[in-house]
Amino acid sequence: MTNPEQPVIPEYSLDRDCTTLSRHALQQLHSFSAEAQDLSAILNRIALAAKLIARRLSRAGLMAGTLGFTGEMNVQGENVKKMDVYANDVFISVFKQSGLVCRLASEEMEKPFYIPENCPIGRYTLLYDPIDGSSNVDINLNVGSIFSIRQQEGNDLDGEAKDLLQNGRKQIAAGYVLYGPSTELVYSLGKGVHSFILDPSLGEFILSQENIRIPEHGPIYSTNEGNFWQWDEALRDFTRYVHRHEGYTSRYSGALVGDIHRILMQGGVFLYPGTMKKPEGKLRLLYETAPLAFLMEQAGGCATIGKKDLLDVVPDKLHARTPLIIGSKEDVRLVQSFIEKRESTN
Ligand code: P6P
């Protein structure tokens, strides 16, 4: 016989199952204002996009026309995967008729995409990498989506979206979705970093961790050492150091979101440095390195392009690239110490 005073389901577990992303966003903002409602609704749409992408990824090997390349080249000069195109279109579709987002800027599109019916009202811009690490899609390894939300400034009458060419501290929210054994959405509104796990039985992202803090130091360094001979000498010095000292281990998946998530949870440093041929590096600022830097700073870590904070970098174009050194403060500082040492001897 159950005791009527004691709820059958412990209060905390029911409340936790009801802590969806949209509710959590409103809690974060301590407000039900129009702006808070908008941000909550935007995150809810991003969650819908993530669910649609996760669903397709989970059956990609069984669905004709899902894997492989389209035969096209994108603005990055990269061969486009069919999954890149699908995911890009999903983000556009979930924001149509939303009145929320006027412009979408994506790794896959040369220019921002405008949703006219939203534009007079929607003052937000979504910047995103729809599928990051798409080389992993065909081999069933983890991939991710990265997103950043900015307020539109001015009326963008020429359609060039020049107001996006500002530093990463103008972001009002950022996050990523990790499509792994479970689908995990990690986000920040500038009030800490929080993660949600997709519960397929509910079709909802449910709060799993609040106020995630990156360890001050961790054992992992994550980088593509195949580029070792193309790096500046200082980065080679750092690599030689971790090779020769106990307590370091290398992990690299070739998909940025998974590598960054590992660093966030276990500590350490991820590096994608510039090379002699490409001093600006490979990763894109507005929808890859800046949102991740925003999250990492919110989690107590840091992100730099070498000596300058990444969030202070002002892009000169929509698809600007930056080097990326990101993770635990102690480990990022260790990398920087080799850069400073080299500069002092040059
Ligand atoms: P490399 C994927 O193409 C990506 O943009 C990131 O997800 C990843 O961190 C990086 O490139 C991998 O690049 O040169 O090591 O293959």
Side-chain angles (χ1 to χ4, degrees):
M1 182 69 174
T2 56
N3 172 348
E5 274 72 50
Q6 288 302 320
V8 172
I9 303 170
E11 196 55 34
Y12 76 90
S13 66
L14 187 55
D15 200 42
R16 180 189 179 122
D17 278 352
C18 295
T19 306
T20 59
L21 186 58
S22 46
R23 170 172 148 177
H24 190 264
L26 291 172
Q27 286 169 340
Q28 283 285 300
L29 295 167
H30 303 295
S31 159
F32 296 110
S33 68
E35 188 197 10
Q37 298 284 1
D38 282 351
L39 281 171
S40 173
I42 289 171
L43 288 165
N44 217 27
R45 298 284 172 131
I46 290 171
L48 174 58
K51 286 184 251 184
L52 288 162
I53 294 166
R55 183 180 67 173
R56 193 163 181 102
L57 285 169
S58 70
R59 298 181 301 190
L62 299 173
M63 293 169 69
T66 305
L67 296 177
F69 293 94
T70 63
E72 305 291 321
M73 192 82 78
N74 65 13
V75 64
Q76 318 292 342
E78 296 166 345
N79 291 316
V80 177
K81 286 281 180 76
K82 293 171 186 170
M83 198 61 216
D84 289 322
V85 173
Y86 172 80
N88 192 63
D89 292 349
V90 161
F91 275 95
I92 292 172
S93 299
V94 301
F95 281 103
K96 284 181 174 168
Q97 300 303 326
S98 69
L100 294 164
V101 167
C102 166
R103 302 175 303 187
L104 295 99
S106 158
E107 174 179 299
E108 299 302 330
M109 301 187 292
E110 185 173 359
K111 297 273 187 196
F113 183 92
Y114 289 74
I115 305 181
E117 71 271 17
N118 291 349
C119 285
I121 315 140
R123 301 302 297 164
Y124 296 96
T125 301
L126 179 78
L127 301 101
Y128 64 109
D129 181 0
I131 291 284
D132 175 76
S134 51
S135 56
N136 280 0
V137 169
D138 293 0
I139 51 172
N140 194 28
L141 292 181
N142 70 274
V143 292
S145 300
I146 307 171
F147 61 88
S148 168
I149 302 170
R150 292 183 182 229
Q151 276 275 11
Q152 179 170 329
E153 292 180 13
N155 295 318
D156 188 15
L157 295 176
D158 62 5
E160 291 298 317
K162 291 192 184 71
D163 62 296
L164 294 180
L165 304 184
Q166 299 189 67
N167 71 34
R169 300 195 191 281
K170 298 292 272 187
Q171 296 174 104
I172 54 177
Y176 58 76
V177 183
L178 175 58
Y179 306 100
S182 61
T183 299
E184 184 163 6
L185 190 150
V186 176
Y187 91 110
S188 176
L189 291 172
K191 299 169 184 296
V193 176
H194 318 286
S195 83
F196 289 73
I197 300 287
L198 177 61
D199 180 337
S201 67
L202 281 174
E204 282 287 358
F205 280 95
I206 302 300
L207 179 65
S208 62
Q209 272 190 277
E210 278 196 302
N211 301 312
I212 297 170
R213 302 294 291 175
I214 185 172
E216 283 295 311
H217 163 66
I220 295 160
Y221 69 99
S222 181
T223 191
N224 182 345
E225 294 195 43
N227 299 325
F228 181 88
W229 290 110
Q230 295 181 48
W231 293 339
D232 288 347
E233 202 54 47
L235 277 302
R236 294 187 213 161
D237 292 342
F238 164 77
T239 308
R240 292 183 192 106
Y241 177 90
V242 293
H243 284 173
R244 293 166 181 163
H245 287 75
E246 284 295 309
Y248 293 94
T249 188
S250 173
R251 291 286 185 276
Y252 191 71
S253 75
L256 182 58
V257 168
D259 289 331
I260 293 293
H261 189 67
R262 181 190 288 113
I263 296 290
L264 175 67
M265 304 312 287
Q266 298 176 348
V269 61
F270 175 94
L271 312 91
Y272 205 105
T275 61
M276 308 303 182
K277 282 186 288 184
K278 286 188 176 176
E280 74 281 3
K282 171 181 184 181
L283 302 176
R284 277 66 46 156
L285 175 62
L286 283 172
Y287 39 78
E288 287 181 321
T289 59
L292 295 174
F294 181 90
L295 283 175
M296 204 53 83
E297 282 203 2
Q298 282 292 316
C302 58
T304 176
I305 59 172
K307 286 170 58 184
K308 183 174 185 175
D309 282 4
L310 194 133
L311 286 179
D312 292 331
V313 175
V314 177
D316 57 355
K317 52 184 182 290
L318 189 63
H319 299 290
R321 299 168 190 254
T322 67
L324 177 65
I325 302 166
I326 186 171
S328 301
K329 279 184 177 154
E330 273 183 39
D331 303 301
V332 172
R333 297 272 148 68
L334 176 64
V335 178
Q336 291 181 310
S337 68
F338 289 100
I339 294 171
E340 287 147 14
K341 200 176 295 176
R342 275 287 169 182
E343 284 189 352
S344 64
T345 56
N346 285 349

